[in-house]
Amino acid sequence: MAEIEFRRAIRDALDEELARDESVIFFGEDVAKAGGVFAVTPGLWEKYPDRVLDTPISELALAGAAFGSAVCGKRPVFEIMFGDFLPLTMDSLVNQSAKYWYISNEQASIPLVVRSAIGAGGRFGAIHSQTPISWFLGVPGLKIVCPATPADAKGLLKSAIRDPNPVLFLEHKRLYGLKGEVNGDLTPIGKGAVVREGDDITVVGAMKSVHDALAAAGKLVEHSVEAEVIDLRTLRPMDIDLVLESVAKTSRLVVVEEGPRTGGWAAEVVARVSEAALDQLDDIWRITTADAPIPYSPTLEDAFLPAPDVIVESILAHRRK
Amino acid sequence: MLGRTAVTRGSLSVADEVGLYLELYRRMVLIRQFEDLVNALFLQGQVHGTTHLCSGQEAVAVGVTSVLDPADRVAGTYRGHGHALALGLDPQRLLDELLGRETGICAGRAGSMNVVDLEHGLMGCFGIVGGSIAAATGAGLALRGTGNVAVAFFGDGATNQGYFFECLNFAKVMNLPVVYVCENNGYGEYTPFTAVTAGSIIARPLAMEIPSQTLDGNDLWVVRAAARQAVETARRGDGPSFIEALTYRFVGHSRSDPGKYRPEGELDRWRLKDPLAVGRRRLVEEHRVPESEVESIVEDVRTELDRVRQKGLAAPFPKPDASAREFKDG
């Protein structure tokens, strides 16, 4: 099976869903004729000129257009170029889309997808590098999908477009060039995956942190630690059962989140596992970024992020406790 | 001329122009009396939270919706009872919603500010100022090329929101079939719009080269004619239009507002231009409808709403154990 890049997997998912369903429309800033600033969506406008649209730089209007068109039977996918711009969409996403199914007494749901490039490590500075998950994690009615591999990027995006609910689909910028095999299967939303088996400790991550955790797990073997690595893949709804199964075996859990410590999704995993399985736990903690803005300079930014060595050191330190 | 489309909207079914205007007048009376009823029930503790009444603004909602087709889509505001009733929502289902009853249009989940009635084309009423502008713009995106249109109702206050500038520009450059209807009642909550609005409202859409007009929003006939023109423009594929309807609310912004900021005499002057009085005068003087026939409409609505009130107060509350789900199964 041929390997393709993460960005190509996303493009293919959009292409296939646009072909499959006439109600799918895709729009955003520079996504059509230019093919996207991260070169994710080239060639789509040429194939679907009426349904792939360049828009003004108007995030409020984009989110509102997605909501309103979804009420009227479309399946809109719109791109917010950087996740840092998502606050501009929040009224429509949070107050309109996420609540519509409930407050309309289920007259209609809002099958929209908002795609957004997120994450640090690209020297983009404090306002083009954030991971905006904690801003949205506490919003009932909004799914949050976070792929780590090309296969899941494609499989989850196809699932997101077919999902009858609003979905926030996050793409880590450092993964766009990652290559992997893609078989074209749908990946179910709300299901995590064990991506490395081990008996000594469970390491939970999402997006780029999954790869950092896998790299750390490789190094931990030298220290006689076999880590089990879980890719949560979706953060709302969250596959906590998969984590609990693993913890029942390892009794130790560390959650790695590229995002600020306070109120993050790692805190939510730790809380849920503690509530459900306190008696099975020998240790539980988080590795996150600091509660501080993301710095620009390479030396500062590299030191800010939970790299594999940071994960290894943290796990070894906890073992020495 | 009788609009062909007008006779197909909701329960609107009439034989001629006089019949049409009598029905539209009935809807204005229904809205006014409905708001009076809501006010009374609020004071009795039966309507909860807060309410925003549209008494005095009836001609805008009724006039604009009178030229719409069933497949057109409308986004209303948190002052939205009039939008819903003008579209043909059963007043029983609307009142039951406000009373928090299981029989409400949204089963008591929505309340006064968030009513949704897709069966009658109401995408929703939006509690965030300007939210209706966003919703209708999106509907316009979905309705491109279908011959159907989307309508946004919003107040003068919304013209200072980001949604207003972004969405009107978006609709214009994408040539969307949207009619933006600003119900300028002179006040954004407690503040005169002139105190917080730079320049005129209509200069803003005009700067975007959107066909725009300012008109007497208390005259149903005037509103209807302008709305027909704007809607036809959108149906033809000629893009969005803007209507600034000058009107006035005869009540405060919400239930906690006695309206003390109004200059003395202002309310009285607007009372002379009450859309119901204007409508009655036109029906009697221009359409030769007997006073007694107009009066019987008022009485009929009173009788109907008395029934609605009694039935609503007897309706069951939703059971707390009715399981609400976060997501629709996919």
Side-chain angles (χ1 to χ4, degrees):
Chain A
M1 196 182 306
E3 293 202 333
I4 62 171
E5 281 190 344
F6 191 95
R7 58 162 57 83
R8 173 76 195 201
I10 289 167
R11 201 211 79 99
D12 288 353
L14 283 165
D15 190 3
E16 290 172 22
E17 294 305 301
L18 281 158
R20 175 180 176 270
D21 184 348
E22 285 279 324
S23 68
V24 176
I25 53 176
F26 172 51
F27 53 94
E29 299 152 24
D30 293 329
V31 301
K33 291 179 183 132
V37 297
F38 293 104
V40 175
T41 57
L44 295 175
W45 171 69
E46 289 81 351
K47 286 181 81 170
Y48 314 97
D50 296 332
R51 292 189 286 138
V52 176
L53 309 168
D54 282 322
T55 69
I57 302 175
S58 300
E59 284 83 4
L60 279 74
L62 288 175
F67 163 71
S69 64
V71 172
C72 298
K74 297 296 183 190
R75 287 185 175 267
V77 181
F78 71 108
E79 178 177 304
I80 295 297
M81 194 180 289
F82 285 80
D84 313 73
F85 311 163
L86 283 166
L88 291 163
T89 69
M90 281 193 87
D91 171 54
S92 188
L93 287 178
V94 174
N95 289 324
Q96 298 187 326
S97 294
K99 293 172 176 53
Y100 200 77
W101 167 245
Y102 175 78
I103 63 174
S104 73
N105 195 32
E106 305 179 6
Q107 290 178 51
S109 68
I110 304 300
L112 69 76
V113 178
V114 48
R115 292 181 42 241
S116 196
I118 61 104
R123 320 312 185 200
F124 282 104
I127 305 159
H128 285 71
S129 304
Q130 296 171 90
T131 301
I133 294 165
S134 52
W135 305 342
F136 290 96
L137 191 64
V139 180
L142 182 66
K143 295 187 177 183
I144 303 175
V145 174
C146 302
T149 66
D152 283 340
K154 183 172 181 183
L156 282 167
L157 184 53
K158 287 171 73 81
S159 292
I161 293 170
R162 297 183 194 188
D163 197 283
N165 304 283
V167 179
L168 177 59
F169 187 90
L170 301 176
E171 302 163 13
H172 198 293
K173 294 191 278 291
R174 309 311 293 166
L175 297 179
Y176 275 139
L178 179 75
K179 285 191 169 180
E181 290 187 352
V182 175
N183 64 14
D185 291 346
L186 294 181
T187 305
I189 291 175
K191 292 287 175 199
V194 175
V195 294
R196 185 188 193 281
E197 293 190 2
D199 291 334
D200 299 327
I201 183 165
T202 303
V203 186
V204 170
M207 300 181 289
K208 182 168 178 298
S209 295
V210 173
H211 302 282
D212 294 334
L214 284 169
K219 296 182 182 189
L220 283 166
V221 174
E222 299 163 21
H223 302 276
S224 306
V225 176
E226 287 295 338
E228 180 142 301
V229 178
I230 289 178
D231 174 2
L232 271 183
R233 301 198 293 194
T234 303
L235 295 178
R236 190 180 186 108
M238 189 179 269
D239 190 358
I240 212 68
D241 289 345
L242 185 70
V243 181
L244 288 169
E245 271 175 45
S246 178
V247 167
K249 177 173 67 175
T250 64
S251 80
R252 288 178 169 79
L253 173 65
V254 59
V255 187
V256 183
E257 175 178 6
E258 183 193 318
R261 190 167 189 77
T262 302
W265 63 264
E268 184 63 28
V269 175
V270 167
R272 291 196 194 191
V273 171
S274 300
E275 282 177 337
L278 192 60
D279 57 344
Q280 297 172 27
L281 287 168
D282 290 315
D283 204 351
I284 182 166
W285 78 102
R286 294 168 284 165
I287 301 171
T288 68
T289 58
D291 280 328
I294 299 162
Y296 160 69
S297 176
T299 54
L300 296 175
E301 188 181 36
D302 288 346
F304 188 81
L305 297 172
D309 285 348
V310 174
I311 300 169
V312 169
E313 281 309 311
S314 180
I315 289 172
L316 293 178
H318 270 256
R319 213 163 60 134
R320 287 192 293 269
K321 268 200 313 194
Chain B
M1 196 190 108
L2 178 64
R4 178 185 57 81
T5 57
V7 296
T8 61
R9 160 58 72 186
S11 57
L12 203 56
S13 179
V14 293
D16 55 24
E17 188 177 354
V18 174
L20 168 74
Y21 280 108
L22 281 170
E23 170 58 22
L24 297 180
Y25 180 79
R26 193 192 70 81
R27 288 197 176 189
M28 293 201 296
V29 171
L30 173 67
I31 293 168
R32 176 70 56 86
Q33 291 193 15
F34 185 88
E35 298 293 58
D36 289 346
L37 174 59
V38 171
N39 190 40
L41 288 169
F42 188 93
L43 295 174
Q44 293 165 25
Q46 296 287 352
V47 172
H48 313 280
T50 189
T51 60
H52 304 80
L53 306 178
C54 68
S55 310
Q57 305 183 188
E58 295 87 350
V60 188
V62 173
V64 171
T65 57
S66 75
V67 299
L68 298 180
D69 280 348
D72 296 331
R73 288 290 173 265
V74 174
T77 69
Y78 55 84
R79 196 179 308 286
H81 309 157
H83 306 138
L85 293 172
L87 284 164
L89 172 57
D90 179 356
Q92 186 73 63
R93 300 203 69 195
L94 182 59
L95 186 70
D96 290 4
E97 183 65 30
L98 271 53
L99 293 168
R101 308 305 166 110
E102 186 180 78
T103 46
I105 180 65
C106 298
R109 290 178 170 193
S112 171
M113 290 190 279
N114 305 300
V115 170
V116 177
D117 178 22
L118 287 175
E119 189 189 333
H120 291 95
L122 185 65
M123 303 172 71
C125 296
F126 296 92
I128 301 292
V129 171
S132 57
I133 299 173
T137 302
L141 182 63
L143 296 172
R144 281 181 309 163
T146 63
N148 285 110
V149 306
V151 172
F153 289 108
F154 51 94
D156 43 281
T159 66
N160 289 325
Q161 286 279 37
Y163 275 137
F164 178 79
F165 294 91
E166 291 200 8
C167 290
L168 265 66
N169 178 68
F170 188 95
K172 180 62 179 177
V173 297
M174 301 185 84
N175 199 39
L176 305 183
V178 186
V179 178
Y180 295 98
V181 181
C182 176
E183 302 173 308
N184 183 354
N185 64 18
Y187 291 88
E189 302 206 359
Y190 302 5
T191 303
F193 90 88
T194 48
V196 290
T197 307
S200 70
I201 288 174
I202 197 169
R204 299 170 176 197
L206 284 174
M208 300 182 201
E209 300 181 351
I210 294 172
S212 304
Q213 51 184 316
T214 298
L215 50 80
D216 179 356
N218 280 14
D219 187 328
L220 171 71
W221 282 253
V222 170
V223 173
R224 183 172 147 81
R228 175 186 279 157
Q229 191 184 347
V231 164
E232 284 177 359
T233 299
R235 289 204 201 290
R236 276 199 311 272
D238 289 338
S241 297
F242 179 87
I243 291 170
E244 181 190 19
L246 302 177
T247 184
Y248 198 81
R249 58 172 150 73
F250 292 156
V251 294
H253 161 69
S254 66
R255 277 306 312 147
S256 54
D257 171 26
K260 285 180 179 165
Y261 44 81
R262 301 175 195 270
E264 200 176 324
E266 184 179 83
L267 176 60
D268 293 335
R269 284 195 300 280
W270 276 95
R271 284 274 185 203
L272 298 176
K273 293 192 278 186
D274 183 334
L276 296 188
V278 172
R280 177 184 285 241
R281 191 163 62 239
R282 282 211 188 229
L283 285 170
V284 172
E285 292 175 8
E286 296 170 23
H287 296 278
R288 305 288 171 207
V289 176
E291 280 272 7
S292 59
E293 193 174 340
V294 178
E295 192 52 38
S296 73
I297 289 175
V298 176
E299 288 310 313
D300 288 350
V301 170
R302 204 183 310 282
T303 306
E304 179 189 356
L305 285 182
D306 194 49
R307 264 201 313 273
V308 165
R309 179 183 153 279
Q310 290 179 35
K311 197 171 168 196
L313 289 172
F317 281 97
K319 290 179 184 62
D321 64 351
S323 56
R325 290 174 302 147
E326 179 179 1
F327 296 116
K328 182 179 181 182
D329 293 338

